[in-house]
Amino acid sequence: MALRFRRTVSIFPGVRLNLGKRGVSLSAGVRGANLTLGRNGLYGNAGIPGTGLSYREKLNKRNTKRRKRSARQTPKVPAVAEQMADVDLNTTTGDIAILDADGQDLGDKGFEVAKAYAREALETALSEQVDEHNRMMARIGDIHLQTPPPDRFPVLEPEPFEEPAPAQPELKKLDLRARLCPVRKRAIVESNERKKHRYQQQYLRWQNNSAQHDRREQARAALYDQAEKGDPEAMEAVLDDHLLDIDWPRETRLSFELSEDGRTLMLDVDLPENEDFPITELRMYQRGVGVSVNTLSDTTVRKLYMAHVHGMGFRLIGEGFACAPTVQTVILSGFTQVPDTATGGQTDKYLYSVKVNREAWQRIQFDNLDVVDPVDALAAFELRRDMTKTGIFRAIEPWD
């Protein structure tokens, strides 16, 4: 038979110290209802004396579980998470790369850690890149929608002066020690004088830059006023200034020449290459983290390219008539760069060339451009173009 040992010592009424083989516990309460605090925690005891009925429950078990659960909810974040700085989406393949501050790919581990510890930020970054790609795809086919009517002279968009004024320096005050020590006082005074002198130089430089900016804006405003009145040189300057403000969805290079009498405008536009065109549509996963890629067919890409290069020409013709009120004829030619098999270099391949007069251009309903197809619209004028219905171009001779 196992031996049991228990001794109870009364500390004061209602409180007892229990000594046993398994340790020490403390009891408080009356017979039939008391609390016991021991090595296994705090227990509540209740019973009816003389009946043998009793109930015992651990009172601090929930706090223990809560502490354990809290510990499980704050796992250690992997070190790679501290290196994550950016998200890069390949819009052709849909591949996702997590980059560090130097632009280096953190690999599959970086992507898994981003999903586990920064899922919301990862999904936001991907969604922004998907939306930007899809907006760019829409703009490629709809570039002509912003074409102005020929009688709407462009409004000057002023360039704000964004250089902030220099902040006034914080001068050090003379404390008690400086008042008592001439050397310390002189050092503080000289330091303050240097700060004030440096601030005055910075402020004068800022004032000079601001004045130069104002003079440039006044000169621009004068050019716009002269151009609206038909001055040829001013019209050339305004056309150059205005075309620079257009946000083309693809890189665009062009050159133009205005006749001396200001009646004929010739535009040459270097069109983007068909091979450089985007070929995918993107969509975020409905479940999980990722981007689905729909690769467009060759025919769809050619038709998109066809709509874009004609839309560019349509827009440029409209800008030419709007910026140069005296112009009666616009001749626009679009070309691309192709390899020259004879020399191995590059040569210009003209895809189309169109001659438009102002009277015919004014027949277009510029308040209803969403139903205008630039491919058909340019065909209504004197157009040189050798193109199939699916957008395959053959070289042509442009208008002189």
Side-chain angles (χ1 to χ4, degrees):
M1 177 181 295
L3 297 176
R4 298 182 64 187
F5 168 75
R6 179 181 177 88
R7 180 181 179 186
T8 300
V9 179
S10 178
I11 300 177
F12 51 84
V15 179
R16 299 176 300 281
L17 183 66
N18 308 307
L19 305 176
K21 291 176 61 178
R22 303 184 65 181
V24 180
S25 63
L26 187 68
S27 298
V30 297
R31 186 183 180 191
N34 59 72
L35 300 174
T36 302
L37 178 63
R39 57 180 294 182
N40 295 323
L42 179 65
Y43 287 84
N45 309 295
I48 303 176
T51 65
L53 297 176
S54 64
Y55 177 76
R56 177 178 172 86
E57 181 178 355
K58 190 172 183 179
L59 301 180
N60 62 343
K61 60 182 179 180
R62 293 184 179 179
N63 292 336
T64 302
K65 289 183 178 180
R66 188 178 297 115
R67 285 195 297 270
K68 291 181 179 179
R69 189 181 303 116
S70 176
R72 288 196 300 269
Q73 291 175 348
T74 56
K76 183 179 179 180
V77 179
V80 69
E82 300 178 0
Q83 304 175 37
M84 297 187 302
D86 200 2
V87 180
D88 179 66
L89 171 65
N90 187 317
T91 57
T92 302
T93 63
D95 292 337
I96 301 167
I98 307 300
L99 309 179
D100 62 14
D102 296 326
Q104 298 298 315
D105 187 356
L106 296 176
D108 293 339
K109 183 176 181 180
F111 182 57
E112 294 302 321
V113 169
K115 288 197 298 183
Y117 296 93
R119 186 186 183 102
E120 183 177 353
L122 174 60
E123 290 180 335
T124 299
L126 289 176
S127 179
E128 290 175 352
Q129 295 186 49
V130 167
D131 290 344
E132 176 61 27
H133 176 82
N134 292 338
R135 281 195 299 269
M136 183 267 293
M137 292 291 289
R139 289 175 57 216
I140 283 175
D142 296 338
I143 192 171
H144 70 290
L145 296 180
Q146 303 301 316
T147 304
D151 57 351
R152 183 187 298 167
F153 189 78
V155 177
L156 174 63
E157 296 289 341
E159 295 181 1
F161 182 64
E162 297 179 344
E163 180 183 345
Q168 291 193 1
E170 293 185 5
L171 302 180
K172 193 170 183 179
K173 296 181 180 180
L174 295 176
D175 54 15
L176 180 59
R177 288 187 298 168
R179 299 180 187 281
L180 297 177
C181 177
V183 175
R184 179 177 176 82
K185 179 180 179 180
R186 184 169 59 254
I188 292 176
V189 170
E190 291 176 352
S191 174
N192 287 343
E193 289 299 322
R194 286 194 298 269
K195 289 180 179 179
K196 287 190 290 186
H197 178 68
R198 186 162 52 247
Y199 168 74
Q200 290 172 353
Q201 289 182 322
Q202 293 172 346
Y203 188 77
L204 288 174
R205 189 180 305 114
W206 177 83
Q207 277 188 320
N208 183 55
N209 292 341
S210 177
Q212 289 181 356
H213 172 81
D214 291 342
R215 286 193 292 270
R216 286 194 299 268
E217 287 301 294
Q218 291 171 2
R220 285 182 68 210
L223 273 177
Y224 271 68
D225 183 61
Q226 294 169 10
E228 192 169 12
K229 295 175 181 177
D231 181 86
E233 291 186 5
M235 287 190 296
E236 272 194 328
V238 167
L239 185 60
D240 185 49
D241 184 80
H242 186 62
L243 292 180
L244 287 175
D245 288 337
I246 297 178
D247 182 20
W248 303 101
R250 308 299 291 174
E251 183 179 359
T252 302
R253 295 185 297 273
L254 60 91
S255 60
F256 64 89
E257 183 179 354
L258 186 63
S259 62
E260 291 184 2
D261 60 2
R263 295 180 61 82
T264 302
L265 174 66
M266 289 173 288
L267 290 154
D268 259 26
V269 55
D270 188 353
L271 303 170
E273 308 298 324
N274 194 359
E275 295 76 12
D276 297 334
F277 244 57
I279 59 173
T280 58
E281 293 176 341
L282 306 180
R283 183 172 57 86
M284 293 286 293
Y285 282 173
Q286 295 297 317
R287 296 181 180 178
V289 179
V291 175
S292 63
V293 178
N294 175 35
T295 302
L296 305 178
S297 67
D298 291 343
T299 300
T300 301
V301 172
R302 286 199 302 270
K303 287 185 176 180
L304 182 63
Y305 179 78
M306 177 174 62
H308 180 67
V309 297
H310 286 84
M312 287 179 61
F314 189 95
R315 174 78 181 272
L316 287 169
I317 292 169
E319 296 290 355
F321 279 126
C323 291
T326 65
V327 165
Q328 298 302 309
T329 303
V330 173
I331 300 174
L332 181 138
S333 302
F335 65 93
T336 60
Q337 301 284 323
V338 296
D340 188 336
T341 57
T343 64
Q346 296 287 320
T347 186
D348 295 340
K349 173 186 175 181
Y350 280 87
L351 305 187
Y352 69 88
S353 184
V354 61
K355 184 186 297 185
V356 185
N357 65 70
R358 181 179 288 270
E359 182 180 357
W361 187 254
Q362 289 173 331
R363 299 192 190 107
I364 296 174
Q365 302 296 313
F366 290 93
D367 58 350
N368 201 24
L369 288 180
D370 55 336
V371 300
V372 172
D373 183 347
V375 179
D376 296 336
L378 295 188
F381 307 105
E382 296 182 68
L383 176 66
R384 291 181 178 179
R385 180 180 68 193
D386 189 355
M387 180 190 73
T388 67
K389 292 182 178 180
T390 57
I392 298 176
F393 290 90
R394 286 177 286 271
I396 56 96
E397 280 293 323
W399 290 102
D400 291 335

